[in-house]
């Protein structure tokens, strides 16, 4: 994205910079800081001060799976400590603080040997100073608090100029501070909820120590984002947007509508792989209820034609991804032909987790599945991107959607993948197979809603398996296909567990599908977690 084109969100809010050393808890630090009304950004730990696009009001160094002395262990740009802003190191971050600010050699590694010294789990932090305790502990209930430890290495000595402000039975330097330089270190993890008063520490750091204003709220963010979009697009500019009717693109579309009205052109590509009546329903809600200028492009012939005979999951995904691009190119040209001003921008519903994943210092992870990616449009279409949600997590997007007046049932919809039913029909995708899975899925969703289960589940769908099995219906032998029902609970869709579905409901769903959907004589329930399975079957 051409960031220079856009005024930055960090210009509008005091910002805490969180440097990610690869800890599994880094996102939680981000969450905790935002929960205090302070804006923050998570960047890879390898980012250099000279490349920073904003001046942070404070810096937090996260934990890490690495051991600090290990070869290849990531290290912070020492100039971060010369910005004159407070720094807080958490676990590995504390060890980095000691590496940079200490006399050197104080980090003892117990990894590999002396395993008994490793510390995982709950510990009691003794806060020093009584009533004069350090300002990081302002508002604490007493001189002791439960904290969560997860480390193999520890500090062997106190770096010069630092003092101890808290210790545990096993950790002499559990919390340390350099008052003059405003550099702090915690051996425990304040960001996890198991550290009972940990959130207070992060709040105290951001608001008391770094003096950040607590003004980051969804309301102010929406207002500022609308202003920003208007500034970027200008008085007359037109924008095209890929809108699926899913949560992310709907929220992005409503925001765009607020910002530039009908100069925003939403395009839904109907690839023929949508759920039953999906395009019609989306049109009704987006166009009629939310007033979005939405065009539905029926490209099913093209998609289904190209998918003919294809059974390999990755090939299906690539064909669909590429065809999306073609349809968009055509569509942009059509709109251009009608309007005096050419379309310059494309709106995407990119969320923060996508951004974080793509900037990880460890590099992109192995390709498990090629997600259809509208980002691929960039090179060919020469369109510049507007990504109004790229700073937000999914639940923040939902919050924004509710604030923008989007109906709650749309906001709480389960995610639906871009490639649609093609990756839920195992084997070849044909109109007959699409019809079977659409009907089964429709029954499944209706029953989940009727039984008040839909909102307890993060994502549910029916998949059609390419095998046939023998059954008996009305005294006759049948030899038909199998529907697999999937329902998972997940917070970020990176990991998931299968949903404990009430047997009574399963019985009803199974019986309805077998009775009502021709071509199916067996229904199974998928009891695999992710990992090792994934949420979608392909
Ligand atoms: N059928 C479609 N037509 C147009 N754009 C689409 C279509 N399917 C997906 N997209 C684009 O791809 C993006 C990513 O899809 P994704 O499924 O992650 O998000 P979503 O559909 O907006 O929300 P949800 O996660 O709730 O399904 C969408 O935000 C949208 O821009
Ligand atoms: O927009 C999308 N385009 C895709 O190509 C795609 N593939 C998977 N998904 C969704 O991502 C989440 C994780 O899915 P998996 O466990 O199957 O990888 C689940 O929510 C899936 O539905 C996609 N979404
Ligand atoms: N959670 C952490 O940051 C751990 C840091 C380092 N890997 C250790 O074991 O001490
Ligand atoms: Mg979707």
């Amino acid at each position: 994205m051409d960031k220079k084109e856009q005024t930055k969100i960090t210009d509008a809010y005091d910002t805490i910079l969180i440097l990610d050393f690869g800890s599994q808890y880094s996102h939680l630090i981000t969450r905790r800081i935002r929960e205090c009304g302070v804006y923050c950004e998570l960047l890879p730990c390898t980012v250099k001060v000279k490349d920073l696009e904003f001046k942070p009001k404070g810096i937090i160094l996260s934990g890490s799976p690495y051991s600090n002395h290990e070869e290849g262990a990531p290290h912070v740009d020492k100039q971060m400590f010369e910005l004159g802003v407070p720094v807080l190191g958490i676990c590995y971050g504390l060890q980095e603080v000691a590496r940079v600010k200490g006399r050197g050699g104080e980090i003892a590694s117990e990894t590999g040997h002396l395993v008994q010294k490793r510390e995982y789990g709950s510990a009691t932090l003794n806060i020093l100073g009584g009533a004069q305790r350090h300002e990081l502990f302002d508002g604490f209930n007493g001189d002791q608090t439960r904290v969560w430890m997860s480390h193999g290495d520890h500090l062997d000595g106190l770096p010069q100029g630092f003092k101890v402000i808290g210790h545990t039975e096993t950790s002499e330097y559990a919390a340390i501070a350099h008052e003059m330089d405003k550099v702090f270190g915690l051996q425990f993890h304040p960001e996890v909820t198991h550290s009972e008063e940990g959130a207070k520490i992060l709040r105290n750091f951001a608001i008391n120590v770094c003096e950040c204003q607590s003004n980051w709220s969804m309301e102010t963010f929406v207002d500022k984002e609308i202003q920003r979009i208007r500034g970027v697009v200008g008085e007359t500019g037109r924008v095209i947007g890929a809108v699926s009717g899913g949560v992310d693109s709907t929220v992005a579309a409503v925001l765009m509508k607020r910002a530039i009205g009908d100069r925003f052109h939403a395009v839904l590509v109907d690839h023929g792989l949508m759920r039953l009546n999906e395009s019609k329903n989306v049109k009704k809600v987006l166009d009629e209820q939310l007033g979005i200028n939405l065009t539905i492009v029926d490209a099913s012939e093209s998609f289904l034609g190209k998918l003919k005979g294809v059974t390999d999951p990755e090939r299906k995904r690539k064909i669909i991804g590429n065809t999306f691009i073609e349809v968009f190119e055509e569509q942009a040209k059509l709109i251009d032909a009608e309007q005096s001003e050419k379309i310059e921008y494309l709106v995407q519903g990119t969320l923060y987790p996508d951004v974080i994943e793509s900037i990880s210092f460890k590099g992109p992870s192995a390709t498990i599945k090629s997600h259809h990616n509208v980002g691929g449009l960039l090179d060919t279409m020469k369109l510049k991107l507007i990504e109004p949600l790229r700073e937000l997590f999914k639940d923040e997007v939902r919050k924004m959607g509710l604030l923008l007046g989007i109906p709650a049932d749309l906001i709480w919809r389960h995610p639906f993948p871009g490639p649609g039913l093609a990756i839920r029909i195992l084997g070849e995708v044909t109109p007959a197979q699409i019809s079977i899975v659409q009907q089964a899925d429709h029954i499944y969703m209706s029953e989940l809603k009727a039984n008040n289960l839909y909102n307890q589940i993060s994502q549910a769908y029916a998949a059609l398996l390419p095998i046939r099995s023998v059954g008996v219906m009305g005294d006759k032998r049948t030899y038909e296909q199998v529907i697999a029902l999937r329902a998972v609970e997940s917070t970020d869709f990176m990991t998931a567990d299968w949903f404990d579905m009430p047997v009574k409901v399963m019985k009803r769903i199974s019986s309805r599908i077998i009775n009502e959907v021709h071509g199916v004589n067996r229904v199974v329930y998928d009891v695999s977690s992710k990992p090792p399975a994934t949420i979608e079957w392909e």
Side-chain angles (χ1 to χ4, degrees):
M1 178 170 77
D2 191 355
K3 280 204 160 175
K4 308 286 176 303
E5 292 276 331
Q6 310 195 1
T7 51
K8 295 196 301 288
I9 180 169
T10 46
D11 294 340
Y13 297 96
D14 289 344
T15 304
I16 295 284
L17 167 63
I18 299 161
L19 292 176
D20 178 20
F21 290 81
S23 162
Q24 54 180 322
Y25 304 132
S26 300
H27 297 189
L28 286 181
I29 308 175
T30 315
R31 300 307 308 266
R32 294 289 105 82
I33 296 291
R34 287 194 185 177
E35 278 161 16
C36 331
V38 174
Y39 183 66
C40 60
E41 289 211 356
L42 183 70
L43 292 179
C45 58
T46 44
V47 72
K48 299 272 179 287
V49 166
K50 64 175 170 44
D51 297 324
L52 276 186
E53 292 183 353
F54 61 97
K55 166 113 198 267
K57 291 272 285 185
I59 301 171
I60 298 178
L61 314 179
S62 82
S64 175
Y66 286 90
S67 182
N68 207 279
H69 291 311
E70 194 181 326
E71 212 187 297
H75 294 300
V76 62
D77 177 3
K78 289 187 178 165
Q79 285 186 18
M80 291 287 173
F81 288 81
E82 284 150 32
L83 283 173
V85 299
V87 178
L88 172 67
I90 295 174
C91 202
Y92 184 94
L94 160 84
Q95 296 154 11
E96 274 295 278
V97 163
R99 198 182 64 84
V100 176
K101 302 284 291 180
R103 293 170 307 229
E106 282 91 355
I107 307 155
S109 175
E110 307 299 344
T111 339
H113 61 287
L114 282 180
V115 172
Q116 68 274 19
K117 275 216 168 177
R118 297 161 82 174
E119 225 186 341
Y120 300 96
S122 198
T124 301
L125 179 74
N126 299 296
I127 300 166
L128 299 180
Q132 311 312 317
R133 63 172 91 109
H134 194 270
E135 63 179 325
L136 284 180
F137 303 116
D138 273 3
F140 268 53
N141 297 330
D143 291 338
Q144 289 198 323
T145 187
R146 308 242 14 112
V147 296
W148 186 259
M149 293 282 192
S150 173
H151 64 111
D153 306 343
H154 64 269
L155 288 202
D156 230 4
L158 197 58
Q160 228 159 24
F162 280 76
K163 66 173 186 186
V164 179
I165 54 173
H167 61 82
T168 68
E169 203 179 322
T170 43
S171 228
E172 203 178 334
Y173 309 114
I176 62 170
H178 191 303
E179 288 303 349
M180 279 277 287
D181 293 356
K182 295 220 173 290
V183 177
F184 313 92
L186 305 172
Q187 183 59 78
F188 57 90
H189 288 271
E191 68 276 25
V192 304
T193 47
H194 293 85
S195 290
E196 280 170 2
E197 294 177 281
K200 287 185 195 166
I201 300 182
L202 292 171
R203 160 177 270 276
N204 289 333
F205 176 72
I207 296 177
N208 297 354
V209 178
C210 302
E211 298 177 350
C212 287
Q213 273 194 55
S214 172
N215 58 356
W216 157 264
S217 70
M218 203 43 85
E219 285 86 347
T220 60
F221 177 69
V222 165
D223 289 345
K224 288 191 173 152
E225 196 55 17
I226 288 176
Q227 294 308 326
R228 189 180 73 84
I229 292 167
R230 284 183 185 149
V232 169
V233 179
E235 297 280 312
T236 52
R238 292 188 176 270
V239 176
I240 192 171
V243 173
S244 64
V247 180
D248 311 336
S249 47
T250 303
V251 172
V254 172
L255 195 70
M256 290 307 296
K257 156 93 183 165
R258 288 265 176 107
I260 61 166
D262 278 350
R263 288 185 284 131
F264 175 64
H265 299 260
V267 174
L268 183 146
V269 179
D270 186 345
H271 42 25
L273 301 158
M274 315 284 273
R275 279 169 293 205
L276 197 66
N277 301 327
E278 178 83 348
S279 297
K280 250 189 270 159
N281 293 341
V282 172
K283 177 89 181 159
K284 214 187 247 159
V285 178
L286 263 65
D287 200 312
E288 292 170 22
Q289 259 176 275
L290 297 170
I292 308 276
N293 180 4
L294 175 74
T295 308
I296 295 185
V297 182
D298 181 358
S300 50
E301 228 171 89
S302 164
F303 277 90
L304 299 186
K306 288 182 193 165
L307 286 169
K308 219 176 224 156
V310 178
T311 55
D312 178 69
E314 276 301 286
R315 270 206 65 211
K316 285 184 189 172
R317 285 174 167 275
K318 297 231 163 81
I319 290 170
I320 293 168
N322 292 342
T323 313
F324 260 123
I325 296 172
E326 287 169 22
V327 175
F328 264 94
E329 277 180 328
E330 282 164 22
Q331 211 50 38
K333 272 189 211 139
L334 283 179
I335 299 172
D336 278 350
E338 279 175 18
Q339 306 290 343
S340 52
E341 191 149 348
K342 282 215 174 332
I343 289 184
E344 241 190 292
Y345 291 95
L346 167 77
V347 167
Q348 278 196 155
T350 313
L351 302 191
Y352 203 44
D354 310 332
V355 178
I356 292 171
E357 166 77 3
S358 63
I359 58 167
S360 161
F361 75 92
K362 286 176 285 189
S365 39
T367 304
I368 310 295
K369 305 176 178 192
S370 318
H371 277 223
H372 90 284
N373 187 2
V374 282
L377 290 169
L378 260 186
D379 296 344
T380 45
M381 286 177 81
K382 308 269 180 289
L383 286 170
K384 287 176 268 184
L385 282 182
I386 294 181
E387 298 174 314
L389 312 177
R390 69 178 267 127
E391 278 88 16
L392 305 181
F393 292 96
K394 186 94 180 182
D395 62 323
E396 290 176 318
V397 170
R398 289 192 153 129
K399 205 166 150 192
M400 181 193 271
L402 289 171
L403 205 72
L404 289 169
I406 299 173
D409 53 344
L410 203 161
I411 292 299
W412 294 106
R413 286 185 80 170
H414 296 173
F416 184 72
L421 300 178
I423 56 171
R424 294 175 176 178
I425 292 168
L426 284 80
E428 190 183 355
V429 180
T430 63
Q433 297 282 280
I434 295 172
S435 169
I436 291 178
V437 81
Q438 276 179 337
Q439 292 174 61
D441 191 74
H442 185 67
I443 293 170
Y444 187 23
M445 292 308 119
S446 322
E447 287 297 332
L448 291 182
K449 284 175 188 160
N451 289 282
N452 289 324
L453 291 170
Y454 186 87
N455 287 338
Q456 293 175 40
I457 297 168
S458 308
Q459 191 170 5
Y461 68 89
L464 182 61
L465 307 190
I467 47 166
R468 292 204 276 171
S469 76
V470 174
V472 51
M473 274 171 159
D475 286 340
K476 275 207 190 113
R477 177 187 197 265
T478 57
Y479 187 50
E480 290 177 339
Q481 277 179 275
V482 183
I483 282 283
L485 302 177
R486 184 89 164 122
V488 296
E489 289 176 285
S490 173
T491 44
D492 55 11
F493 299 91
M494 301 296 288
T495 58
D497 206 354
W498 55 278
F499 181 70
D500 191 1
M501 183 82 70
V503 172
K504 218 176 98 198
V505 181
M506 272 205 267
K507 278 190 177 162
R508 180 165 166 82
I509 295 168
S510 158
S511 128
R512 276 199 61 194
I513 291 176
I514 295 174
N515 286 328
E516 295 173 33
V517 183
H518 290 285
V520 176
N521 66 356
R522 200 173 287 267
V523 169
V524 295
Y525 188 61
D526 183 348
V527 289
S528 334
S529 63
K530 170 185 180 174
T534 54
I535 295 174
E536 303 290 347
W537 274 53
E538 287 194 338

